[in-house]
């Protein structure tokens, strides 16, 4: 974990970085920011002289080149104005600072979420609050039995419904994953909901196709991203019950290692549950986590879809098999009838 | 208010501009073809202070030297063997030769559909016209005795550009043919060959959408193409695997538009209407429907500069022969679904005087113009 943390700066570190009002880029320190501003935004395009501020450049343009500066170069469309006097981090209007911080916080939590989702690691520091990561909670035999009865009822109902209803999610046992991952359902519980609920409007952006902003190129190696689809998302509803419950088997064997002397499971999750009840061992998953993890995963799924749509969200100003000129040539205004002249 | 080094020509065309071109010898002689059926000849420097860097006063707005009326919209214009000769491509299916001094017009060639583009190669004294009748016509205007050559094309041509030794034709269905000018010249002088000359190279465009513009590198190394889908590709003539591996394409002239709906930003993609290579440096300019012009370094694959937004879509671009000026034709862009279009009153010709190192690739000394 410690190493990871070094790779991914925490939110305070990111928020304290120097950033440029004109292009929203952030920098290691103020010196770099100032030299960036001089090179990108306050450089005279006539003689290449680098001024300290936009105002300075304006005066320079006026006096040296007898020209008037109207906009700041290379700036975002709404930040081109000369009205704001910016030097480094000084002079940035308060609302812009707020906006910037919000954006940073949002991307931070988003990326953190993606990272946890991609790696399956629990969010550091969230463990205690959000669920039993590795701590084993003892469930009483009665509780277990009750749960077993519930499960049986559900399975029966599912069978009655032709096996088309959701199945495993109630059990909360994602397939093919290590107990460690199972132990961190919190990763999907959105423990990283933005603090104070300040940003409810921001859609959670899922991983595929997402390019991290240039300022964190190393922090989020894209190679880790494709792992996401395989992570413990809930199986899509409507599938027949998984035969054999492979995932559970995997877990069971691990548990069996913990529980010395326990007989090898037969591949039946119910048997495994019973065995655990007998041994007074709780499965590495709290009974209620699946219920909460499920909606979170469901939330993520449509988001992912919308992201894909967003990637395709392209509006072409001109889209045709014919060239604009051919279209224009068809208009009476420009049309030419050779027979009329000849 | 635009900076003073960028000025607007007085008396702009009355309707959309189809093309503009600087004279090969004089850096201030500019021809503009327009949908208003006229070709305009401008002197971009009114006081004759040509290339003098220090004479960039605010009162220079160029002068309209002359207009040449056609009977139909003019789709393209190019200079001929001298600064006094021009050829035009007309909606009226004709290629005209214009004597810019006397205003005399003569028909050089007749196609069976509107003529889209014309290019003239000084090195080979060849005039090549591309028409929507899916043919190229090849003439040698200096030798009228030679029968013109007609080359059938597999598709409608949309863009045409000539490098010192090649001519590139971009057509519908993403077809690109490259002809060798020397071969064309030879075929023209020896009409014995019954078959029309074959293209030197046949390629498929690297861009997935309709080709909008082609520009050839003055260094004769390759060319750039652009499409209606905000993208530019740079390719090399050399067919060797190493050279072909160097080709690339990139997105440009797009704008992220924040939509009200929750699905976030929409990428608004504009056509890249115009491309022009700088005559000396390996850089080129692209002009798009997003009303911006960007300067690119073809070798370093870098964007060097984006100019402030213009009032309307950029229709055409041209560098002056000395590389000191960039002419930008601005008029409303034709968009999908437009029932009515008019560039009237909104058409402008802007001349941008480039700073000493403005179009220079980074890391090159400003004096290294012999490159």
């Amino acid at each position: 974990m410690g190493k990871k943390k070094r790779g991914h700066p925490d939110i305070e570190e990111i928020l304290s970085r120097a950033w440029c009002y004109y292009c929203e880029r952030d920098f290691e320190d103020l010196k770099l920011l100032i030299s960036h501003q001089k090179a990108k935004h306050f450089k005279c395009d006539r003689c290449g002289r680098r001024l300290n501020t936009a105002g300075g450049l304006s005066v320079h343009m006026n006096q040296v080149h007898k020209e008037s500066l109207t906009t700041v170069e290379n700036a975002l469309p709404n930040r081109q104005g000369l009205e704001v006097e910016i030097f480094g981090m000084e002079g940035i209007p308060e609302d812009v600072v707020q906006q910037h911080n919000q954006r940073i916080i949002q991307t931070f939590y988003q990326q953190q979420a993606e990272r946890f989702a991609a790696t399956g690691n629990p969010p550091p520091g969230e463990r205690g609050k959000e669920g039993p990561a590795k701590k084993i909670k003892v469930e009483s035999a009665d509780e277990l039995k009750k749960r077993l009865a519930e499960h049986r009822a559900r399975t029966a109902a599912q069978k009655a419904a032709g096996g088309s209803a959701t199945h495993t999610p109630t059990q909360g046992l994602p397939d093919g994953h290590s107990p460690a991952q199972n132990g961190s359902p919190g990763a999907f519980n959105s423990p990283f909901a933005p603090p104070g609920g300040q940003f409810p409007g921001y859609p959670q952006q899922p991983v595929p196709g997402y390019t991290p902003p240039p300022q964190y190129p190393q922090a989020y190696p894209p190679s880790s991203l494709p792992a996401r689809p395989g992570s413990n998302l809930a199986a899509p509803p409507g599938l027949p019950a998984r035969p054999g419950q492979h995932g559970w088997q995997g877990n069971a064997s691990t548990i069996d290692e913990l529980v010395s002397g326990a007989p090898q499971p037969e591949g039946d999750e119910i048997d495994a549950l019973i065995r655990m009840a007998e041994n007074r061992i709780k499965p590495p998953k709290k009974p209620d986590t699946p219920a909460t993890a499920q909606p979170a995963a469901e939330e993520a799924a449509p988001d992912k879809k919308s992201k894909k749509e967003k990637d395709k969200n392209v509006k072409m100003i001109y889209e045709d098999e014919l060239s604009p000129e051919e279209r224009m040539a068809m208009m009476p205004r420009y049309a030419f009838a050779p027979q009329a002249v000849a | 208010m635009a900076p003073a080094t960028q000025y607007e020509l007085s008396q702009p065309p009355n309707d959309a501009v189809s093309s503009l071109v600087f004279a090969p010898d004089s850096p201030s002689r500019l021809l503009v073809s327009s949908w208003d059926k006229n070709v305009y000849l401008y002197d971009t420097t009114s006081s004759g202070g040509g290339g003098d860097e220090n004479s960039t006063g605010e009162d220079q707005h160029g002068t309209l030297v002359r207009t040449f009326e056609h009977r139909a919209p003019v789709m393209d214009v190019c200079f001929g063997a001298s600064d006094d000769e021009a050829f035009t491509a007309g909606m009226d299916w004709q290629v005209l030769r214009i004597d810019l001094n006397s205003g005399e017009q003569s028909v050089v060639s007749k196609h069976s559909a509107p003529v889209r583009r014309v290019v003239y190669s000084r090195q080979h004294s060849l005039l090549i016209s591309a028409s929507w009748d899916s043919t190229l016509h090849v003439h040698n205007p200096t030798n009228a005795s030679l029968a013109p050559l007609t080359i059938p094309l597999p598709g409608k041509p949309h863009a045409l550009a000539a490098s010192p030794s090649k001519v590139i034709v971009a057509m519908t269905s993403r077809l690109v043919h490259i002809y060798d000018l020397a071969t064309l010249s030879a075929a023209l002088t020896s009409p014995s060959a019954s078959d029309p000359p074959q293209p030197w190279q046949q390629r498929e465009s690297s861009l997935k959408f309709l080709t909008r513009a082609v520009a050839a590198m003055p260094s004769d190394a390759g060319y750039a193409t652009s499409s209606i889908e905000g993208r530019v590709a740079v390719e090399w003539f050399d067919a060797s695997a190493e050279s072909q591996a160097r080709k690339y394409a990139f997105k440009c002239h797009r704008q992220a538009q924040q939509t009200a709906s929750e699905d976030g930003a929409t990428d608004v993609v504009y056509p890249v209407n115009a491309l022009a290579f700088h005559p000396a440096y390996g850089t080129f300019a692209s002009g798009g429907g997003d009303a911006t012009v960007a300067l690119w370094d073809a070798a370093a694959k870098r964007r060097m500069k984006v100019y402030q937004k213009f009032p309307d879509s950029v229709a055409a671009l041209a560098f002056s022969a000395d590389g000191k000026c960039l002419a930008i034709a601005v008029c409303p862009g034709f968009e999908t679904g437009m029932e009515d279009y008019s560039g009237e009153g909104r058409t402008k010709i802007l001349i941008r005087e480039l700073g000493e190192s403005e179009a220079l690739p980074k890391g090159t000394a400003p004096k290294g113009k012999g490159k």
Side-chain angles (χ1 to χ4, degrees):
Chain A
M1 270 323 129
K3 244 185 266 164
K4 278 258 171 61
K5 206 191 163 197
R6 196 163 298 163
H8 311 297
D10 59 31
I11 187 73
E12 287 82 13
E13 280 173 60
I14 293 176
L15 278 175
S16 66
R17 282 173 74 89
W19 57 280
C20 176
Y21 165 80
Y22 293 107
C23 64
E24 286 267 336
R25 216 177 125 168
D26 68 345
F27 296 88
E28 203 58 49
D29 61 27
L30 201 58
K31 265 186 192 164
L32 284 173
L33 167 65
I34 289 167
S35 72
H36 154 86
Q37 287 179 336
K38 286 168 82 172
K40 286 280 172 190
H41 308 301
F42 309 145
K43 189 172 159 182
C44 172
D45 67 347
R46 295 282 114 201
C47 66
R49 180 163 171 173
R50 295 144 55 114
L51 283 299
N52 273 330
T53 63
L57 179 58
S58 174
V59 169
H60 162 88
M61 293 287 265
N62 252 321
Q63 293 180 339
V64 181
H65 305 291
K66 310 274 182 277
E67 288 170 19
S68 59
L69 185 75
T70 48
T71 51
V72 175
E73 290 239 357
N74 304 314
L76 294 167
N78 51 345
R79 307 261 170 97
Q80 291 173 335
L82 294 173
E83 315 79 54
V84 249
E85 183 86 354
I86 303 283
F87 177 73
M89 296 282 287
E90 283 162 49
I92 307 175
E94 191 50 40
D95 58 319
V96 177
V97 175
Q98 296 276 329
Q99 253 178 41
H100 173 84
N101 287 348
Q102 281 202 5
R103 190 181 67 91
I104 294 295
I105 292 169
Q106 188 218 342
T107 26
F108 175 81
Y109 282 107
Q110 197 176 300
Q111 286 175 341
Q112 194 181 52
E114 283 159 7
R115 210 162 59 237
F116 293 148
T119 57
N121 288 333
E126 296 283 348
R127 217 168 300 153
K129 268 187 260 165
E130 272 304 323
K134 275 155 193 164
K135 203 172 78 186
I136 290 172
K137 221 185 199 176
V138 179
E139 199 178 13
S140 77
D142 284 347
E143 274 169 8
L144 258 180
K145 275 174 190 158
K146 191 177 160 227
R147 207 150 60 82
L148 171 61
E150 276 168 13
H151 171 81
R152 280 197 169 133
R154 265 194 302 269
T155 336
Q158 260 171 42
K159 272 185 190 149
S164 64
T166 42
H167 57 313
T168 28
T170 53
Q171 200 61 27
L173 297 169
D175 49 329
H177 283 284
S178 68
Q181 272 173 304
N182 287 334
S184 65
F188 278 97
N189 269 345
S190 261
F192 22 77
Q198 269 175 288
F199 325 102
Y202 291 117
Q204 226 185 350
Q205 279 183 345
V207 185
Y210 180 78
T211 325
Q215 54 263 51
Y216 319 110
Q218 290 87 19
Y220 312 103
S223 57
S224 72
L225 300 184
R228 173 69 183 277
S231 60
N232 38 6
L233 278 177
L239 289 182
R242 246 173 253 131
Q245 301 293 353
H246 299 292
W248 188 218
Q249 254 176 341
N251 291 331
S253 69
T254 335
I255 292 153
D256 284 327
E257 281 164 31
L258 297 169
V259 188
S260 58
Q264 278 300 307
E266 313 264 328
D268 187 337
E269 59 188 83
I270 295 160
D271 285 354
L273 266 180
I274 294 166
R275 228 170 357 259
M276 279 191 294
E278 285 162 2
N279 288 301
R280 302 238 154 200
I281 297 243
K282 194 213 157 280
K285 196 164 267 286
K286 238 177 27 176
D288 55 340
T289 23
T292 43
Q294 164 80 352
E298 266 174 357
E299 242 168 54
D303 272 350
K304 188 188 239 165
K305 212 166 154 195
S306 79
K307 169 70 182 182
K308 267 181 198 155
E309 275 161 15
K310 188 183 155 188
D311 282 344
K312 286 174 201 152
N313 228 343
V314 159
K315 182 189 161 209
M316 278 177 70
I317 287 298
Y318 187 84
E319 189 169 18
D320 206 330
E321 281 298 293
L322 294 175
S323 64
E325 285 74 22
E326 284 170 279
R327 288 278 170 212
M328 282 167 75
M330 287 174 204
M331 291 165 47
R333 181 185 173 88
Y334 301 114
F336 174 76
Q339 57 274 27
V341 179
Chain B
M1 265 280 286
T5 45
Q6 178 181 295
Y7 54 90
E8 202 180 308
L9 291 185
S10 52
Q11 296 179 272
N14 298 317
D15 206 338
V17 169
S18 54
S19 173
L20 48 72
V21 61
F22 273 104
D25 294 322
S26 158
S28 61
R29 214 165 153 84
L30 180 75
L31 272 177
V32 179
S33 62
S34 164
W35 287 80
D36 71 358
K37 305 184 184 182
N38 283 307
V39 168
Y40 297 79
L41 176 64
Y42 293 95
D43 184 350
T44 58
T45 53
S46 54
S47 57
D52 193 351
E53 292 277 328
N54 300 321
S55 71
T56 51
E58 256 133 303
D59 50 342
Q60 284 187 344
H61 292 296
T63 40
L64 176 61
V65 179
R66 199 167 176 151
T67 58
F68 306 93
E69 206 185 334
H70 289 57
R71 53 178 189 168
V74 190
M75 309 273 273
D76 197 11
V77 64
C78 68
F79 276 93
S82 76
D83 282 0
D84 295 326
E85 185 186 42
F87 297 99
T88 62
M91 185 73 93
D92 59 353
W93 307 6
Q94 296 185 126
V95 179
L96 291 188
R97 179 191 176 275
I98 300 173
D99 185 319
L100 297 178
N101 283 328
S102 65
E104 189 194 321
Q105 300 184 0
S106 53
V107 178
V108 181
S109 188
K110 272 190 177 168
H111 283 269
S112 52
V115 188
R116 180 66 187 97
R117 287 287 183 216
V118 278
V119 291
Y120 182 81
S121 164
R122 279 185 134 190
Q123 287 89 340
H124 295 86
S125 300
L126 285 182
L127 173 72
I128 297 148
S129 57
S131 154
W132 288 337
D133 64 4
S134 297
T135 61
L136 286 184
H137 284 192
V138 183
H139 288 263
N140 185 339
T142 56
N143 189 345
S145 65
L146 294 175
L149 207 61
T150 302
I151 302 171
L153 295 172
K156 273 186 200 171
H158 291 302
L160 186 70
S163 75
S165 73
K166 307 281 186 285
V167 60
I168 307 127
V169 194
M171 291 162 278
T172 43
S173 316
R174 305 168 53 228
L175 294 161
V176 176
H177 279 192
I178 304 166
Y179 291 89
D180 186 48
L181 284 167
T183 315
L184 295 183
S185 188
L188 196 64
T189 44
S190 54
S192 53
S194 52
D195 291 331
Q198 289 304 303
W200 174 69
Q201 272 181 19
Q202 297 187 22
R203 291 188 185 186
E204 186 180 61
S205 167
S206 324
L207 304 169
K208 291 196 172 59
F209 289 83
L210 184 72
T211 310
R212 195 81 185 95
V214 173
M217 293 181 195
S219 61
D220 216 9
Y223 59 94
T225 59
S226 70
S227 79
I228 56 167
E229 189 248 356
R231 227 176 264 263
V232 169
V234 177
E235 298 190 37
W236 275 263
F237 288 135
D238 185 356
S240 71
E242 309 91 77
S243 279
Q244 288 310 305
R246 281 159 63 217
K247 76 180 176 190
Y248 60 90
F250 55 91
K251 288 189 215 175
C252 51
H253 299 283
R254 286 152 186 255
Q255 268 170 17
Q257 199 177 63
Q258 212 63 41
T259 44
S261 65
E262 65 215 34
D263 48 337
T266 308
D267 216 3
V268 183
V269 179
Y270 294 88
V272 182
N273 297 325
L275 291 172
F277 270 94
H278 188 276
Y281 319 140
T283 54
F284 66 97
S286 66
D290 59 343
T292 63
V293 168
L295 275 183
W296 309 87
D297 182 341
K301 305 186 188 177
R302 285 284 167 84
R303 187 176 74 191
M304 298 161 60
K305 209 167 169 58
V306 186
Y307 294 118
Q308 294 299 327
K309 250 181 178 310
F310 295 100
D312 264 308
S313 171
V314 176
L317 288 173
F319 278 103
S320 63
D322 60 3
K324 283 184 178 154
C325 291
L326 178 65
I328 302 146
V330 173
C331 58
F334 186 86
E335 298 177 8
T336 297
M338 269 195 183
E339 301 273 298
D340 197 17
Y341 175 91
S342 167
E344 226 168 308
R346 284 166 68 187
T347 300
K348 291 182 174 68
I349 309 287
L350 298 157
I351 306 291
R352 176 159 185 104
E353 289 181 5
L354 301 177
E356 202 168 69
S357 57
E358 203 168 316
L360 200 68
K362 279 206 178 95
T364 323
K367 300 294 168 199
K369 285 176 186 169
K371 202 191 133 192

